[in-house]
Amino acid sequence: MIHIVKGLTVTTNNPKIIAFQGGAGHIKIDVAGVQYVNGSTQNFFAPEVYIDGMKSAGGYFKVKGPTNIELRVPNVQWSPIPEGEYTVPDFSINYVPDEKEIFKY
């Protein structure tokens, strides 16, 4: 199942929660970078994605059932992101339920 998330906003110092109500399986989250301007410089950041307090660099997660998907503005020490609210470009959450009978190996 693919779910498209549209118009989600993230705020510095305040994570955005998406409630996942499905069963056990795997989730892949493809979040695009967010552009912002700091002074006269245009930059971008990729929102950090956590499930059950765990972060995945590739966006893959194993879930055991209903859980929260948390999106955060990263805290970058060498190039701080200005405080504020940022709109994340539309992105997808792909969910594959556990079905061990489909593939045999």
Side-chain angles (χ1 to χ4, degrees):
M1 177 181 116
I2 298 174
H3 177 75
I4 305 298
V5 178
K6 296 181 180 184
L8 185 79
T9 57
V10 292
T11 306
T12 51
N13 304 319
N14 189 17
K16 184 65 143 191
I17 305 294
I18 299 172
F20 171 72
Q21 300 297 316
H26 292 81
I27 289 179
K28 168 75 166 104
I29 302 172
D30 296 311
V31 181
V34 176
Q35 290 186 337
Y36 68 95
V37 176
N38 188 6
S40 62
T41 306
Q42 186 173 6
N43 293 308
F44 80 96
F45 67 87
E48 296 178 326
V49 179
Y50 293 83
I51 292 182
D52 295 330
M54 301 294 292
K55 181 179 170 183
S56 170
Y60 289 95
F61 298 91
K62 178 159 180 57
V63 292
K64 297 177 181 172
T67 189
N68 288 330
I69 301 167
E70 186 177 326
L71 281 85
R72 302 179 189 171
V73 174
N75 184 5
V76 184
Q77 292 179 329
W78 59 88
S79 178
I81 297 167
E83 287 195 28
E85 187 174 88
Y86 299 92
T87 301
V88 179
D90 296 352
F91 65 96
S92 67
I93 299 174
N94 304 298
Y95 166 64
V96 179
D98 275 349
E99 294 187 32
K100 299 180 191 236
E101 302 82 35
I102 294 175
F103 298 101
K104 302 288 182 188
Y105 48 92

